[in-house]
Amino acid sequence: MFKLNENYLKLPGSYLFSTIGKKVNAYASAHPDKKIIRLGIGDVTQPLAPAIIQAMHGAVDEMGRAETFRGYAPDLGYEFLRNAIAENDYKARGCDVSADEIFVSDGAKCDSGNIQEIFSLDNKIAVCDPVYPVYVDSNVMAGRTGVYDDVSGTWSDVIYMPCTEENGFAPELPSQTPDLIYLCFPNNPTGATIYKEQLQEWVDYANRTGAVIIYDAAYEAYISEEDVPHSIYECRGARSCAIELRSFSKNAGFTGVRLGFTVVPKELKCGDVALHSLWARRHGTKYNGAPYIVQRAGEAVYSAEGSVQLKEQVAYYMNNAHYILKGLREAGYTVSGGVNAPYIWLKAPDGMSSWEFFDYLLEHANVVGTPGSGFGPSGETYFRLTAFGSYENTVEAVDRIRAL
Ligand code: MLT
């Protein structure tokens, strides 16, 4: 008789964005006349940039001719894309990352969930609180997180690093020593970020204690301030302690196209074993490569026209972010984020809990956001709005909230 992976049964509730989706769909069916504005999940709304569409059309035509047709993609990604990434995302920023340390995938969500597989179940993870739920849930599924406490909303074997208004939403070095440290900057969900010297402290700490940092830089394209690192490899010593996850979803609107990559430097070792070889083995065994058409689209992100068009797209979303920040601040809300990230983090008014505010906004303004408590206990009483809507919807949503 088969048995289940009982770790799955330990997961409380359903995936955050599925729960929100269900609630919103139920409300929409009960109120078909209402125009609901969705600023919940961080999903892009602008069409793909013309340079990307052109590259995809070209690749589709290649797939239609015998002499240019491609079958399975190389497991680790086509060289044309890995070279473009190494050149533009790393060498141009003075980071020492070579093309053969880049593993192309179908997105950072999968990589951030899968990366834990190459580590022992005995490893202790540390996460920011609040946190992107995938890091914790994938470790729960693997059986690395201990027992869940319903009251505190925490796992017994996870080290939580509270990110609160008091510490500027930047985690402090934990008192208990972790083996794996998940960091995401610019941060999802708080929209906060840290400066290069703060990140350098984390890198020094990881090298000192023998920990690995799993650094999620999915939102780096939204950085507007100087001295905010775009990559952890801008820090000295990161090659021996850090894995970096990147996505094309937010910088190029690929949430529906699917493309991302993970960097595993060859110097990152456990004894004599390079993590690079383990991740290569995992990728080779379980993955058949992102589609050729999509990888050509990814290459176009770095073309002269592509980069100009995408800067405009990022500026469009950041204009929304500024509108939300300014509008809600004027209306008396306590707001942060939205400067180096497309997320605005606000305090629910009048002592409401995160979910109370979610229900209140849905009901009275027909606006959907994400309850902060869905990202962890320190997110309670907070609420996240995304800047990824259209400008018109963003303005209308802010106006409706202001009118409450
Ligand atoms: C979010 O809303 O937090 C993100 O869009 C989720 C994701 O990128 O998977």
Side-chain angles (χ1 to χ4, degrees):
M1 177 67 183
F2 71 88
K3 294 200 176 72
L4 297 173
N5 174 354
E6 296 205 354
N7 296 317
Y8 276 66
L9 307 181
K10 298 181 194 162
L11 287 163
S14 56
Y15 183 59
L16 174 62
F17 294 105
S18 315
T19 310
I20 293 172
K22 279 188 203 128
K23 268 183 165 263
V24 175
N25 289 343
Y27 183 84
S29 318
H31 303 88
D33 52 315
K34 303 283 190 199
K35 181 191 164 199
I36 297 173
I37 300 180
R38 293 164 200 260
L39 303 182
I41 191 164
D43 195 4
V44 293
T45 53
Q46 291 302 293
L48 294 173
I52 291 164
I53 291 295
Q54 201 185 343
M56 290 177 101
H57 278 301
V60 168
D61 289 344
E62 284 184 69
M63 295 296 267
R65 287 193 300 269
E67 58 282 11
T68 47
F69 171 77
R70 317 269 180 142
Y72 288 127
D75 307 329
L76 308 189
Y78 283 103
E79 287 224 342
F80 62 77
L81 179 57
R82 299 162 88 201
N83 287 337
I85 293 168
E87 208 45 57
N88 294 280
D89 283 329
Y90 295 107
K91 294 218 168 67
R93 293 200 179 275
C95 303
D96 176 17
V97 170
S98 59
D100 63 357
E101 294 173 317
I102 294 164
F103 296 76
V104 174
S105 73
D106 59 354
K109 180 178 184 177
C110 310
D111 286 353
S112 66
N114 291 329
I115 194 74
Q116 48 77 27
E117 272 187 32
I118 63 170
F119 297 97
S120 159
L121 286 184
D122 293 339
N123 283 328
K124 191 147 211 163
I125 67 162
V127 295
C128 291
D129 171 25
V131 68
Y132 179 47
V134 174
Y135 313 151
V136 176
D137 288 4
S138 55
N139 278 285
V140 175
M141 291 166 177
R144 202 177 275 113
T145 55
V147 179
Y148 186 67
D149 175 21
D150 278 329
V151 179
S152 63
T154 57
W155 294 90
S156 58
D157 290 351
V158 173
I159 300 169
Y160 291 88
M161 305 181 290
C163 296
T164 59
E165 208 174 331
E166 290 69 46
N167 59 22
F169 303 104
E172 285 149 36
L173 297 178
S175 46
Q176 233 187 320
T177 310
D179 303 298
L180 304 177
I181 304 165
Y182 286 84
L183 295 178
C184 169
F185 291 108
N187 187 257
N188 177 16
T190 66
T193 195
I194 57 175
Y195 294 102
K196 189 167 163 188
E197 68 188 47
Q198 291 173 286
L199 186 56
Q200 184 66 55
E201 281 177 30
W202 281 98
V203 169
D204 294 344
Y205 172 79
N207 276 323
R208 210 165 53 236
T209 58
V212 171
I213 298 175
I214 298 167
Y215 192 73
D216 185 346
Y219 298 93
E220 64 76 35
Y222 291 83
I223 293 171
S224 66
E225 291 182 321
E226 291 294 313
D227 264 349
V228 176
H230 287 249
S231 163
I232 195 164
Y233 303 114
E234 290 176 39
C235 295
R236 285 180 315 280
R239 286 183 55 81
S240 56
C241 69
I243 290 173
E244 182 163 287
L245 311 171
R246 289 278 190 109
S247 167
F248 287 79
S249 288
K250 319 290 165 148
N251 65 334
F254 278 33
T255 54
V257 176
R258 308 307 307 149
L259 192 66
F261 63 90
T262 289
V263 177
V264 188
K266 293 195 175 148
E267 273 151 63
L268 181 44
K269 290 186 176 165
C270 183
D272 290 339
V273 181
L275 296 193
H276 184 279
S277 65
L278 265 63
W279 189 240
R281 186 72 170 84
R282 195 243 166 235
H283 226 58
T285 304
K286 295 197 177 183
Y287 190 56
N288 258 336
Y292 174 69
I293 297 161
V294 170
Q295 295 199 46
R296 279 292 181 203
E299 182 189 29
V301 166
Y302 300 101
S303 67
E305 310 78 53
S307 43
V308 169
Q309 292 162 5
L310 292 172
K311 277 204 179 80
E312 282 166 15
Q313 207 168 79
V314 165
Y316 175 94
Y317 291 131
M318 286 313 277
N319 187 42
N320 291 348
H322 297 151
Y323 192 89
I324 301 172
L325 263 186
K326 186 166 171 290
L328 295 189
R329 204 166 267 152
E330 281 170 9
Y333 285 85
T334 305
V335 278
S336 59
V339 175
N340 294 296
Y343 292 125
I344 286 86
W345 192 237
L346 59 123
K347 189 96 183 132
D350 306 326
M352 275 190 245
S353 73
S354 299
W355 279 107
E356 279 166 354
F357 189 56
F358 173 90
D359 290 333
Y360 177 78
L361 266 198
L362 181 58
E363 174 98 22
H364 297 281
N366 303 143
V367 171
V368 180
T370 309
S373 57
F375 297 103
S378 296
E380 181 54 289
T381 73
Y382 283 91
F383 199 73
R384 193 193 76 177
L385 290 173
T386 144
F388 285 125
S390 68
Y391 178 70
E392 295 71 22
N393 277 347
T394 303
V395 168
E396 192 174 335
V398 171
D399 290 350
R400 288 190 202 166
I401 298 173
R402 291 186 68 152
L404 287 171

